[in-house]
Amino acid sequence: ASMDPAGGVVITLVNPSPTNAATVALDLPEGAFVSGEALLLSSADFKPASQFAAAELPTESSPSRIDFILPKHSIARVRLLLA
């Protein structure tokens, strides 16, 4: 995780599996974040010259948790605006 210039926390997750999706649950202190956004970078294959496309990553969230599925060989960038 890192902090961006605007004060948001950025979490980057990688699923290197060529065959399996990963279930992700980010547990956070209750009320720790005000809002968030999730970006998915994915490719049709995982070869060295692969091109990744960006799309919104669907998530489910509560005041203390964010859940999502990270598809095979993909990258997620989650940005949270802290309370």
Side-chain angles (χ1 to χ4, degrees), residues 28-36 61-66 80-83:
L28 306 161
E30 180 103 18
F33 67 99
V34 176
S35 64
S61 64
S62 71
S64 63
R65 187 174 165 128
I66 301 171
L80 302 174
L81 181 58
L82 301 180

Side-chain angles (χ1 to χ4, degrees), residues 6-38:
V9 173
V10 177
I11 303 166
T12 304
L13 301 108
V14 177
N15 181 358
S17 174
T19 56
N20 298 315
T23 301
V24 178
L26 300 175
D27 289 316
L28 306 161
E30 180 103 18
F33 67 99
V34 176
S35 64
E37 60 188 23

